[in-house]
Amino acid sequence: MNLIMFGPPGAGKGTQADLLQKKYGYAKLSTGDMLRAAVAAGTEVGLKAKAVMASGGLVSDDIMIALIRDRIAQPDCRGGFILDGFPRTLTQAEELDNMLAEEEIRLDRVIQLKVDDAKLVERITGRFSCKKCGAGYHDSFKPTRAAGVCDECGAGDFVRREDDKAETVTSRLDAYNRQTAPLLPYYASRGVLVAVDGMAEIDEVTRQIDRVVGEVEKFAKNG
Ligand code: AMP
């Protein structure tokens, strides 16, 4: 199963991609995570991406396409993958199509998480994650069970993303609305787009996505 999790920042793409990865073993390809790792490691890509990410803009198509081209060629992607945060421009979407066609890989579904802008700001500005294991939390919607202790690994250090500040969130939403949302008709015209109510509780969103995945798998089995 090859999926794209599609939606604005804060829609829950990463959360749902993590759950799908755990449940089905698909490879999760998060371009945001790849870039943050590159920034932390101080690589050439990281140096180029750092300021753009901090401003809430989009990193250049050339860099992003090269990153995904390398990653999608890895053997673990053959068992299925979930793209989280890619493509974000029409050029990226077209290049992805070319890459997949070259490798004879099918894109099964683009799952659009629909969430109102006001909700997105609230979601993004409250999120934080465990510094050690990366588990994600939210001040109001998903606090740790014990204050200051990670539910997953018991560590006590947490981090907030630099670009989750209210000032930067507006630019990120603007980039989504101007450059990324126009991809929706592109995927709708290919018959792969499915919309899911991203305003629902996390478990309910997961159930809706599971239903989509289940239908595709049933169809694949029955030919
Ligand atoms: P994310 O974690 O998906 O919200 O990504 C964080 C930041 O990384 C974005 O605000 C962009 O600056 C950059 N980024 C991630 N994926 C892409 C992409 N496909 N194209 C351009 N920039 C990206």
Side-chain angles (χ1 to χ4, degrees), residues 9-10 13 30-33 35-36 49 52-61 64 68 84-89 92 127 161 163-164 172 175:
K13 302 187 296 293
S30 158
T31 42
D33 286 351
L35 290 172
R36 281 184 287 279
V52 183
M53 290 172 78
S55 73
L58 295 187
V59 174
S60 78
D61 285 337
M64 299 316 302
I68 284 295
D84 161 19
F86 185 96
R88 266 176 153 104
T89 65
Q92 292 179 16
R127 61 188 187 183
R161 273 171 54 172
D163 60 349
D164 278 352
R172 290 167 62 201

Side-chain angles (χ1 to χ4, degrees), residues 68-83:
I68 284 295
R69 186 179 287 282
D70 284 352
R71 184 64 189 86
I72 239 166
Q74 304 288 318
D76 64 326
C77 289
R78 287 293 166 166
F81 59 77
I82 316 150
L83 282 164

